[in-house]
Amino acid sequence: MRKSKVETAETRRRIVETAAREFRRNGVHATGLAEVMAATSLTHGGFYRHFNSKEELVVEASAAGMESIIERADAAARRPDGKSGPQAIVEAYLSMDHRDDPSEGCPLAGLGSELARASDETREVVSAGVLNFLELIAEQMPRRKHEAAKSDAIFVLSAMVGAITLSRIVTNPELSAAILRDTKRHLKNA
Amino acid sequence: MRKSKVETAETRRRIVETAAREFRRNGVHATGLAEVMAATSLTHGGFYRHFNSKEELVVEASAAGMESIIERADAAARRPDGKSGPQAIVEAYLSMDHRDDPSEGCPLAGLGSELARASDETREVVSAGVLNFLELIAEQMPRRKHEAAKSDAIFVLSAMVGAITLSRIVTNPELSAAILRDTKRHLKNA
DNA sequence: TGTACATCAGTGAACGCGCGTTCACTGATGTAC
DNA sequence: TGTACATCAGTGAACGCGCGTTCACTGATGTAC
């Protein structure tokens, strides 16, 4: 049953990808390793050939989730559709698609309160992701001094994370839509 | 061992209060009923004399948590310390004290991503709390039309919830402080 | 290049543990007369 | 008002279940000669 080195690395990568998705969808605590392995088309016994613990997977999946959302924001900022960079990021982030698909979305929104209680190592890699995200947003504000742009970026990210989180909690569809719409509008004017 | 009606009601209330605190501190999923009961100085066997399920407790504890943070925001707004109402709420909410004490803080920040996945009934009572919170914030903006004030309130709450969440995730103390400071400053200018 | 042996990815069963929930029991409270 | 009985809050042990983790096993891959 032994697999080649290439296949092994590929399997490990698939487990991390699947976990990143499942964690964001169901929460880290509520997602079992057996579930992650089954979703990767493996049995759960093989997990420890790739990782030393669930915690190790959480760290890597969190990092992968941050990278993926930053990449998507970057792609949105680069799309030549007439919108300014920060505005394009805000529109993509505060979309109903993002709200309705946590499994592919931002870990800060999908796992926010769980990440606040996560291990130092997990919070460390997520912090690095936050810094990269802030840098990306700040870069899109070329007219200002970098310090001011960084501060603006912090504000934009806070509002975006809070808005997606709230829009997923409230049961009233109009209120949920209003949270996204109003936050977008206010960030546009900022 | 039977207790009087008054004592029974009081015990039930204490369980809800304790749960509201423990859930915000450790997360709903990670908090066991035995832990809640022990923190209420009871054994876990007695739980089902008061509630039909953990879910029922989650609903009541979430409602209690929302009521408590709104009450605190209301108190901050009423304090005669020269600050305008919304500004006083923002300063109290985005304080380091709030960041560092999730157990007494806002459930939207402490349980945000878990609440997004909670039962309809839980999300229903939290939604009612969100509406009350928005109403309170909007009330403090008397100069505007109510519609505009409501929209501003949505924006303020989104930014506050996101900022506290992020400030608890990041490991760098300067960045954590900056998230609170910068969000406060931007909301002041809004 | 071919052969013999060591390695190890993946399987499937098992482990101890803590979870939500149930239950027999105790004895003080509430109720009916 | 006093008495007899039913109720039920709280205790502590037990339940089935799913969790993270471990392990013996299989057989294809990697390595040494």
Side-chain angles (χ1 to χ4, degrees):
Chain A
M1 287 287 203
R2 186 177 181 184
K3 296 299 174 67
S4 74
K5 281 186 179 177
V6 172
E7 281 173 305
T8 300
E10 171 64 11
T11 298
R12 197 191 141 97
R13 198 194 55 72
R14 279 171 54 227
I15 296 172
V16 172
E17 285 302 311
T18 306
R21 226 178 303 116
E22 294 297 304
F23 287 161
R24 281 176 282 180
R25 193 161 62 83
N26 297 324
V28 172
H29 216 93
T31 302
L33 292 180
E35 187 186 332
V36 171
M37 293 301 277
T40 319
S41 305
L42 292 166
T43 54
H44 66 283
F47 178 79
Y48 291 89
R49 293 285 167 197
H50 297 281
F51 304 93
N52 289 313
S53 63
K54 181 180 184 181
E55 166 61 19
E56 194 177 313
L57 179 63
V58 172
V59 171
E60 298 200 28
S62 299
M66 288 303 298
E67 271 171 44
S68 124
I69 186 70
I70 291 167
E71 201 174 306
R72 285 173 60 170
D74 189 50
R78 289 177 195 282
R79 253 195 302 277
D81 59 354
K83 283 164 192 150
S84 79
Q87 200 172 311
I89 293 175
V90 168
E91 298 236 343
Y93 195 103
L94 292 179
S95 68
M96 297 221 183
D97 280 355
H98 185 194
R99 178 194 67 187
D100 296 337
D101 191 5
S103 71
E104 302 290 345
C106 181
L108 299 171
L111 300 172
S113 52
E114 264 187 298
L115 290 175
R117 286 184 285 269
S119 71
D120 285 352
E121 207 182 340
T122 301
R123 291 167 58 231
E124 208 81 67
V125 304
V126 173
S127 295
V130 167
L131 284 173
N132 289 339
F133 207 157
L134 291 175
E135 196 54 51
L136 170 65
I137 298 170
E139 266 170 17
Q140 309 295 323
M141 304 164 164
R143 66 190 181 290
R144 322 191 190 227
K145 278 191 291 195
H146 186 260
E147 276 305 299
K150 200 69 180 286
S151 162
D152 284 6
I154 286 176
F155 182 60
V156 168
L157 185 60
S158 292
M160 291 196 306
V161 170
I164 286 287
T165 303
L166 287 180
S167 75
R168 285 175 179 162
I169 293 174
V170 299
T171 49
N172 182 323
E174 281 79 31
L175 178 56
S176 178
I179 290 167
L180 298 180
R181 189 190 339 111
D182 291 348
T183 304
K184 258 186 278 194
R185 188 159 46 74
H186 278 82
L187 288 179
K188 206 167 297 182
N189 298 340
Chain B
M1 287 288 203
R2 187 179 183 183
K3 297 298 175 65
S4 74
K5 282 186 179 176
V6 171
E7 281 172 305
T8 300
E10 171 64 12
T11 298
R12 198 193 139 97
R13 199 193 54 73
R14 278 171 52 227
I15 296 172
V16 172
E17 286 301 313
T18 305
R21 227 177 303 117
E22 295 297 304
F23 286 161
R24 280 175 284 182
R25 194 160 62 81
N26 297 326
V28 172
H29 218 94
T31 302
L33 292 180
E35 186 186 333
V36 170
M37 294 302 277
T40 319
S41 306
L42 292 166
T43 53
H44 67 281
F47 177 80
Y48 292 89
R49 293 287 167 196
H50 298 282
F51 304 93
N52 289 313
S53 63
K54 181 180 184 181
E55 166 61 19
E56 194 177 313
L57 179 62
V58 172
V59 171
E60 297 201 28
S62 299
M66 287 304 297
E67 273 172 42
S68 123
I69 187 69
I70 290 167
E71 201 175 305
R72 285 174 60 171
D74 189 50
R78 288 177 197 283
R79 255 195 300 278
D81 58 356
K83 284 165 193 147
S84 78
Q87 200 174 313
I89 292 176
V90 168
E91 298 236 342
Y93 195 102
L94 293 179
S95 68
M96 298 222 183
D97 281 356
H98 186 195
R99 179 195 66 185
D100 297 336
D101 190 7
S103 71
E104 302 290 344
C106 181
L108 299 172
L111 300 173
S113 52
E114 264 187 298
L115 290 175
R117 287 183 284 269
S119 70
D120 285 353
E121 207 181 342
T122 300
R123 292 167 57 230
E124 206 83 66
V125 304
V126 173
S127 295
V130 167
L131 285 173
N132 289 337
F133 207 158
L134 291 174
E135 196 55 51
L136 170 65
I137 298 170
E139 268 171 15
Q140 310 295 322
M141 304 164 163
R143 66 190 181 289
R144 322 191 189 225
K145 277 192 292 194
H146 186 261
E147 276 306 298
K150 199 68 179 288
S151 163
D152 285 5
I154 285 175
F155 181 61
V156 168
L157 185 60
S158 292
M160 292 197 305
V161 169
I164 286 287
T165 302
L166 287 180
S167 74
R168 286 175 179 162
I169 293 174
V170 299
T171 48
N172 182 323
E174 280 78 32
L175 178 56
S176 177
I179 290 167
L180 298 181
R181 187 188 343 108
D182 290 348
T183 305
K184 258 188 279 195
R185 187 159 47 73
H186 279 80
L187 289 179
K188 207 167 294 181
N189 299 340

